[in-house]
Amino acid sequence: MVDATLPDAVDEAGECRELAEVLRSQRPPENHANVTEAVRLRCEQAIRKYLWSDAKCVVFGSRRSKLVTPASDLDLCVQAPSQLSDDKKKKTKAVHALARCLARSGFSNL
């Protein structure tokens, strides 16, 4: 039995249907972990093939913390020990090379 003092949006179990629908709509697709890993691996392979053989791509952000939603992007950190430097020009050159490599490999919106 529904308490007459509760708003219409609250059902017999006391759950807010509107909130439940919002939460359901924010669930990530069931295959999000597989897709994340596939993209991470593809990125890492492209960088290793065309730029730095010691490169590693690491997921961080909402996908790493499992707070991913359908609208979440994929945050990747590229680690390449061979590119460590205090030289600003070398760092800038490395970032530009990375952007060209990823664009050539089919990645966009970088």
Side-chain angles (χ1 to χ4, degrees), residues 2-80:
V2 176
D3 184 341
T5 62
L6 296 175
D8 290 339
V10 177
D11 64 18
E12 290 179 10
E15 297 177 326
C16 178
R17 290 187 301 269
E18 186 176 332
L19 178 58
E21 183 56 37
V22 168
L23 293 174
R24 275 192 294 278
S25 73
Q26 294 304 306
R27 287 185 192 152
E30 288 189 23
N31 67 341
H32 80 91
N34 295 337
V35 171
T36 298
E37 178 56 18
V39 173
R40 186 207 64 77
L41 185 59
R42 184 174 153 232
C43 181
E44 186 173 275
Q45 289 171 338
I47 296 167
R48 285 181 174 184
K49 180 177 180 179
Y50 297 114
L51 286 177
W52 312 304
S53 61
D54 64 337
K56 181 178 178 181
C57 290
V58 179
V59 176
F60 70 100
S62 61
R63 290 180 186 256
R64 175 71 183 257
S65 66
K66 308 288 192 246
L67 297 173
V68 63
T69 70
S72 293
D73 63 353
L74 173 57
D75 300 306
L76 290 175
C77 172
V78 177
Q79 300 172 338

